[in-house]
């Protein structure tokens, strides 16, 4: 195995471990939180977490900008890295502080007038949202230091923190609800975890960049190149969360907090499984950014490898969760939750597979300095997606929201691949349409033909056969060397 493949495989394996452990903690924690808080209050927690997730992504795309500019200017003596990072830091402090003030003031209107929150929960909801507003600058600044560590590919420390603080994100609230089952206590515990995580990310970043400190300094010459790159990324970072969270927001607006729970719980688990495939994207982005500077042919090879690898991994995760969905929910939450959640989970796992496919062209475009294409696609889809969401929720309920999400990901993936191929004259993708179509067809069939636990056991030999075919006939020799690297890394851990 080449050294390059070995390093890439090691970074992917470390990132996988960093994602899987918090997933297990989340799976254990959700039933406890649901039992202690109750269905309605847990639904409200999902709404509050939606705000945390959305506001945390309002980072203007600066983490990826740091990776892009550190790769692009690696050997440029006239590029002052400290000035660039301090400028990024200062811009985020300004914008997040203003945003925090606006959110603090608007909290009653959001909870009472927009979401029409029940009187029973409104005080907790407003207080929780205001606490988020106060801590917003710290939440957003974590992205600066994460971008630095990803750029230098220090995935060992990144994933150590991911294991610790990702696990505490759900683990600490369990201790809180056992003492006093309040929404505010859970939110404070989650935010405290993120604040401490930001501190440790900063300390680790100092070890890689001499002179790095908390300094408010805006270098005027850095502003234009920064915003030229992040302008479109910023738009994507605003639009993508709107598209990601609109379903839960509209369910709360049109239906009830109980329905938010029935939809958000499968959504939360689907998102966690999505972090497994996203591990490859996290590792690939800094490498792709550097490859666009040094070796465009290498970037194209990575594009092909990502596309095939994400398709294969995404399929096997989705098919197993779909086949086991009823059994998993029954064991995990209990029989009363099976009927309102099982179909939603299955549809969302199909949507996850399609979204996994879309990660390859999206990452390639952003690493190549074309985030504008990603943003324009989101702009084109946002109005129609929200309209479809609203109509399907009105007439089909929570399951309609899941179908709307699937439709969005299908259109998003198709457009991303088309523009990625057009803009960069990549190798034709037609030969991957057949395995992609077969994979999607099998997932849809698994959703409609409920074969249960026994059927899943019977499917295992078939899955092993499909895995061998994928490994032998879809992956190239070099791509298989990365798989060997992953295996060797885990064996030697």
């Amino acid at each position: 195995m080449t050294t390059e493949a070995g390093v890439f495989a090691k970074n992917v394996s470390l990132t996988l471990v960093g994602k899987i452990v918090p997933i297990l903690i989340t799976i254990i924690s959700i039933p406890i939180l649901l039992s202690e808080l109750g269905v309605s209050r847990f639904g409200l927690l999902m709404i509050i977490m939606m705000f945390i997730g959305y506001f945390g992504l309002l980072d203007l795309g600066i983490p990826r900008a740091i990776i892009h500019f550190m790769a692009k200017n690696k050997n440029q003596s006239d590029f002052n890295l400290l000035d660039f990072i301090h400028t990024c830091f200062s811009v985020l402090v300004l914008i997040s502080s203003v945003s925090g003030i606006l959110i603090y003031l608007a909290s009653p209107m959001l909870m009472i007038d927009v979401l029409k929150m029940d009187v029973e929960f409104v005080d907790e909801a407003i207080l929780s949202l205001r606490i988020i507003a106060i801590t917003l600058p710290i939440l957003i600044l974590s992205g600066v230091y994460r971008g630095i560590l990803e750029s230098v590919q220090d995935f060992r420390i990144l994933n150590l923190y991911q294991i610790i603080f990702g696990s505490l994100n759900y683990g600490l609230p369990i201790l809180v609800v056992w003492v006093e089952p309040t929404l505010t206590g859970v939110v404070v515990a989650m935010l405290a975890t993120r604040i401490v995580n930001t501190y440790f990310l900063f300390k680790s970043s100092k070890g890689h960049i001499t002179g790095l400190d908390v300094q408010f300094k805006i270098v005027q010459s850095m502003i234009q190149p920064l915003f030229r790159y992040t302008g479109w990324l910023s738009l994507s970072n605003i639009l993508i969360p709107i598209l990601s969270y609109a379903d839960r927001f509209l369910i709360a607006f049109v239906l009830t907090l109980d329905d938010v729970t029935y939809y958000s719980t499968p959504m939360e688990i689907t998102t966690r499984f999505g972090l497994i495939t996203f591990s490859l994207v996290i590792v690939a982005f800094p490498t792709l950014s550097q490859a666009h500077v040094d070796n465009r042919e290498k970037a194209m090879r990575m594009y092909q490898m990502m596309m095939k690898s994400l398709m294969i991994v995404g399929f096997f995760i989705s098919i197993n969760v779909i086949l086991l969905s009823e059994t998993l929910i029954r064991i995990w939450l209990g029989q009363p939750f099976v009927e309102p959640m099982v179909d939603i989970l299955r549809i969302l796992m199909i949507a996850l597979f399609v979204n996994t496919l879309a990660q390859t062209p999206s990452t390639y475009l952003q690493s190549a300095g074309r985030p504008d294409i990603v943003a324009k696609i989101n702009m084109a889809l946002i109005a129609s997606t929200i309209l479809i969401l609203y109509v399907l929720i009105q007439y089909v309920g929570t399951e309609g929201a899941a179908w709307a999400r699937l439709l969005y990901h299908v259109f998003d993936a198709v457009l991303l691949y088309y523009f990625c191929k057009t803009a960069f004259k990549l190798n034709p993708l037609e030969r991957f349409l057949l395995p992609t179509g077969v994979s999607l067809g099998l997932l849809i069939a698994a959703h409609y033909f409920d074969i249960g636990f026994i059927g899943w056991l019977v499917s295992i030999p078939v899955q092993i056969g499909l895995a061998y075919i994928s490994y032998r006939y879809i992956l190239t020799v070099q791509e298989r060397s990365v798989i060997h690297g992953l295996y060797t890394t885990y064996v030697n851990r």
Side-chain angles (χ1 to χ4, degrees), residues 311 353 357 432-444:
M311 178 187 70
F353 171 72
L357 298 178
F432 301 114
L433 290 177
L434 179 61
T436 301
V438 170
S439 300
L440 189 56
L442 289 172
L443 293 176
I444 294 172

Side-chain angles (χ1 to χ4, degrees), residues 20-36 42 167 170-171 174 177-178 269 272 331-333:
I20 289 172
V21 174
I23 288 173
L24 296 176
I25 300 298
T26 300
I27 290 172
I28 294 169
S29 302
I30 283 179
I32 299 172
L33 291 172
L34 181 56
S35 173
E36 294 293 330
F42 186 82
S167 300
Y170 266 101
I174 291 178
V177 296
W178 280 339
I269 294 304
R272 299 293 168 178
I331 295 172
W332 184 39
L333 298 173

Side-chain angles (χ1 to χ4, degrees), residues 407-424:
L407 285 173
Y408 160 71
H409 286 311
V410 168
F411 287 120
D412 183 48
V414 170
L415 290 172
L416 282 168
Y417 273 108
Y418 172 78
F419 284 108
C420 195
K421 179 181 174 181
T422 303
F424 293 97

Side-chain angles (χ1 to χ4, degrees), residues 242-256:
I242 289 176
L243 293 167
S244 297
Y245 298 120
D247 45 11
R248 279 152 284 185
F249 182 87
L250 287 173
I251 288 171
F253 181 75
V254 175
L255 303 176
T256 67

Side-chain angles (χ1 to χ4, degrees), residues 128-147:
S128 298
L129 192 54
R130 284 181 164 172
I131 294 171
I132 294 170
I134 293 169
T135 59
L136 185 60
I138 301 176
L139 299 181
I140 292 180
L141 284 174
S142 66
V144 172
Y145 308 118
R146 189 175 295 107

Side-chain angles (χ1 to χ4, degrees), residues 264-311:
S264 296
T265 306
M267 186 70 236
E268 185 70 14
I269 294 304
T270 304
T271 302
R272 299 293 168 178
F273 278 116
L275 293 176
I276 297 176
T277 53
F278 195 61
S279 301
L280 179 60
V281 175
I282 292 172
V283 174
F285 187 79
T287 308
L288 267 174
S289 296
Q290 188 64 52
H292 281 294
V293 177
D294 299 336
N295 188 339
R296 186 59 62 88
E297 186 178 339
K298 176 185 173 183
M300 294 175 68
R301 288 198 306 270
M302 284 200 67
Y303 176 82
Q304 300 281 6
M305 184 190 73
M306 282 182 64
M307 179 171 55
K308 291 183 281 188
S309 301
L310 288 174
M311 178 187 70

Side-chain angles (χ1 to χ4, degrees), residues 62-230:
I62 281 178
R64 286 206 161 180
I66 290 173
I67 297 171
H68 176 77
F69 279 95
M70 286 181 70
K72 183 179 178 180
N73 298 281
K74 187 176 183 180
N75 301 315
Q76 303 295 322
S77 59
D78 60 341
F79 180 76
N80 191 313
L81 180 59
L82 272 180
D83 282 350
F84 179 73
I85 293 175
H86 286 147
T87 299
C88 292
F89 170 90
S90 303
V91 168
L92 283 183
V93 167
L94 281 173
I95 292 177
S96 60
S97 297
V98 172
S99 300
I101 293 170
L102 294 175
I103 293 163
Y104 187 95
L105 296 174
S107 296
M109 181 189 70
L110 285 171
M111 291 302 174
I112 298 172
D113 298 330
V114 178
L115 289 177
K116 296 179 171 52
M117 197 65 59
D118 292 346
V119 175
E120 180 183 358
F121 305 115
V122 71
D123 289 339
E124 281 186 279
I126 292 173
L127 179 58
S128 298
L129 192 54
R130 284 181 164 172
I131 294 171
I132 294 170
I134 293 169
T135 59
L136 185 60
I138 301 176
L139 299 181
I140 292 180
L141 284 174
S142 66
V144 172
Y145 308 118
R146 189 175 295 107
I148 293 171
L149 294 173
E150 287 180 11
S151 182
V152 299
Q153 300 193 34
D154 191 352
F155 290 100
R156 181 189 64 82
I157 198 69
L158 269 172
N159 291 292
L160 174 62
Y161 294 158
Q162 177 65 40
I163 290 171
I164 295 171
F165 296 107
S167 300
L168 285 174
N169 185 58
Y170 266 101
L172 191 57
I174 291 178
L175 301 179
V176 171
V177 296
W178 280 339
V179 175
E180 187 177 0
T182 64
L183 176 68
T184 306
V186 172
V187 172
V188 168
M190 289 180 167
L191 293 175
T193 298
R194 286 168 165 79
I195 291 169
V196 177
N197 184 33
T198 300
Y199 171 77
F200 279 97
L201 288 170
F202 166 68
K203 295 293 287 185
S204 296
S205 297
K206 284 172 64 72
H208 291 284
I209 299 180
T210 305
L212 179 67
D213 56 7
V214 178
Q215 181 178 347
F216 190 90
K217 179 183 180 182
I218 296 179
V219 179
Q220 191 171 356
S221 61
M222 297 288 183
I223 293 295
Q224 185 176 357
L226 174 63
F227 280 99
R228 186 184 301 124
Y229 181 81
T230 62

